[in-house]
């Protein structure tokens, strides 16, 4: 069994779009990784309370505390005010402290509502857990070379009305010297599935009408940038659309190899799906 080559995901650098964190904050936060999002919320929580602790200290002893000069106690008082904990050990004693605590409680209510909404939106957003093989293979089937890769549904659910689109991304230069990229759709043996629940091998027959056919055999165009794969469907649990995408580059496309079987049939027609074999290939 051969170890498949590692697939490198594209990294894009966008210039001239401005600061997305300022101009499109909601989308920026939703697209942030969970770890980064939680750390950012934690940092904002600490800075928020540190700011109001310093504001309380501007008026000196403005709340009853065992040590009125302690900044840490001022920080604790700010946390209790923001969260409306009301332990009863500390309370404002001056008009300044009353005013600042009202402002902090109001801002804390707004911030808590926004953070709760963001966390719920990130948690409830449906997404497809689709695994793509790390390589696409070209091998003969019934005397015709076939480009194929496979996918696996890595959840115990069904994606209904699933559809796959495969597109070649070609880099071309016009007669005038203008460089551009052209998209060419590949015709698939089957591009829809009424219920995608286990695995799916997506195949394109390289016939004379295929852009991958040249001089009587299958070949990759010299100007091939990548093969773009888009998957869409409806999650039967959320009843919402989900999607997934992957790229295959020329170095990730192998000839005269085949995939190792993922499904085994046991006693009583029991099907065992080996998801760990998704990327395993072997020479013909």
């Amino acid at each position: 069994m051969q170890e498949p080559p590692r697939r490198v995901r594209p990294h894009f650098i966008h210039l001239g779009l401005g600061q997305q964190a300022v101009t499109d904050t909601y989308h920026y936060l939703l697209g942030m990784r969970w770890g980064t999002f939680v750390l950012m919320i934690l940092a904002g929580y600490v800075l928020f309370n540190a700011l109001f602790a310093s504001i309380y200290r501007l008026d000196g002893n403005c709340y009853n505390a065992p040590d009125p000069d302690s900044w840490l106690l001022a920080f604790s008082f700010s946390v209790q005010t923001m969260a409306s904990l009301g332990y009863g050990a500390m309370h404002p004693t001056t008009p300044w402290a009353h005013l600042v605590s009202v402002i902090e409680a109001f801002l804390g209510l707004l911030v808590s509502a926004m953070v709760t909404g963001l966390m719920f939106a990130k948690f409830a957003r449906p997404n497809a857990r689709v695994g793509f093989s790390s390589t696409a293979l070209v091998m003969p089937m019934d005397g015709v070379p076939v480009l194929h890769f496979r996918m696996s549904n890595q959840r115990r659910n069904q994606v209904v009305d699933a559809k796959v689109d495969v597109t070649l991304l070609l880099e071309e230069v016009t007669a005038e010297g203008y460089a551009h990229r052209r998209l060419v759709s590949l015709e698939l043996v089957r591009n829809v599935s009424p219920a995608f629940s286990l695995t799916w091998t997506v195949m394109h027959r390289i016939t004379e009408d295929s852009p991958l056919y040249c001089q009587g055999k299958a070949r990759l165009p010299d100007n091939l940038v990548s093969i773009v794969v888009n998957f869409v469907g409806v999650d039967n649990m959320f009843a919402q659309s989900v999607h997934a995408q992957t790229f295959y580059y020329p170095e990730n496309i192998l000839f005269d190899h085949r995939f190792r079987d993922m499904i085994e049939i046991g006693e009583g027609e029991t099907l065992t799906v080996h998801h760990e074999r998704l990327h395993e290939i072997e020479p013909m």
Side-chain angles (χ1 to χ4, degrees):
M1 184 179 62
Q2 181 175 340
E3 185 71 19
R6 181 174 178 269
R7 186 171 71 233
V8 179
R9 295 189 178 274
H11 178 69
F12 301 102
I13 299 177
H14 298 276
L15 301 177
L17 294 181
Q19 296 295 326
Q20 186 185 12
V22 177
T23 60
D24 199 1
T25 306
Y26 182 72
H27 187 273
Y28 177 79
L29 293 175
L30 281 183
M32 187 178 292
R33 294 180 179 271
W34 267 108
T36 306
F37 179 76
V38 172
L39 289 177
M40 188 197 69
I41 296 300
L42 177 61
Y45 179 81
V46 173
L47 291 175
F48 183 91
N49 286 287
L51 172 63
F52 274 91
S54 301
I55 294 176
Y56 285 121
R57 295 297 303 132
L58 293 177
D59 194 35
N61 185 12
C62 62
Y63 53 90
N64 66 322
D67 184 4
D69 295 327
S70 172
W71 186 87
L72 290 179
L73 286 179
F75 184 87
S76 177
F77 179 67
S78 174
V79 170
Q80 296 180 39
T81 302
M82 176 186 176
S84 301
L85 295 176
Y87 287 140
M90 292 186 290
H91 60 270
T93 57
T94 65
W96 171 259
H98 281 285
L99 174 63
V100 175
S101 62
V102 169
I103 296 174
E104 182 180 14
F106 176 72
L107 293 178
L109 180 66
L110 295 180
V111 171
S112 297
M114 289 189 293
V115 171
T116 302
L118 279 170
M119 294 198 70
F120 177 79
K122 287 178 68 67
F123 184 78
R125 182 179 56 183
N127 62 334
R129 287 288 299 275
V130 177
F132 295 92
S133 59
S134 59
T135 54
L137 306 180
V138 178
M139 59 174 284
M141 293 184 182
D142 296 328
V144 178
V146 174
L147 169 73
H148 64 290
F149 59 91
R150 65 183 178 185
M151 310 183 303
S152 70
N153 184 1
Q154 299 182 345
R155 283 198 178 112
R156 294 178 175 87
N157 71 334
Q158 289 186 354
V159 181
V160 299
D161 292 333
K163 182 180 179 182
V164 175
D165 291 317
V166 180
T167 307
L168 298 182
L169 179 59
L170 305 176
E171 194 168 52
E172 297 182 346
V173 179
T174 65
E176 295 77 17
Y178 175 70
H180 68 102
R181 290 189 170 182
R182 184 166 63 96
L183 297 174
V184 179
S185 297
L186 294 183
E187 182 179 353
L188 303 178
V189 174
R190 178 171 62 89
N191 72 326
V192 295
S193 176
F196 174 46
S197 58
L198 300 177
T199 64
W200 186 354
T201 300
V202 181
M203 296 183 290
H204 164 71
R205 291 169 58 88
I206 306 178
T207 61
E208 294 182 1
D209 298 329
S210 171
L212 300 178
Y213 184 88
C214 181
Q215 296 180 355
K217 63 180 182 179
R219 62 177 294 273
L220 299 180
D222 296 333
N223 59 341
L224 175 65
V225 177
S226 67
I227 296 178
V228 185
V229 180
N230 286 312
F231 170 87
V232 294
V234 178
D235 190 300
N236 70 333
M237 184 173 297
F238 295 101
Q240 296 187 34
S241 296
V242 293
H243 70 277
Q245 185 183 70
T246 193
F247 298 83
Y248 291 104
Y249 298 96
E251 59 269 22
N252 304 124
I253 304 172
L254 302 180
F255 285 74
D256 298 325
H257 284 72
R258 63 186 175 190
F259 289 110
R260 186 183 177 192
D261 288 340
M262 291 180 60
I263 298 180
E264 291 183 356
I265 302 178
E267 297 181 358
E269 297 185 356
T270 301
L271 294 180
T272 302
V273 183
H274 294 270
H275 291 278
E276 73 278 4
R277 299 179 184 175
L278 175 64
H279 311 289
E280 294 183 3
I281 61 175
E282 55 191 9
M284 292 284 295

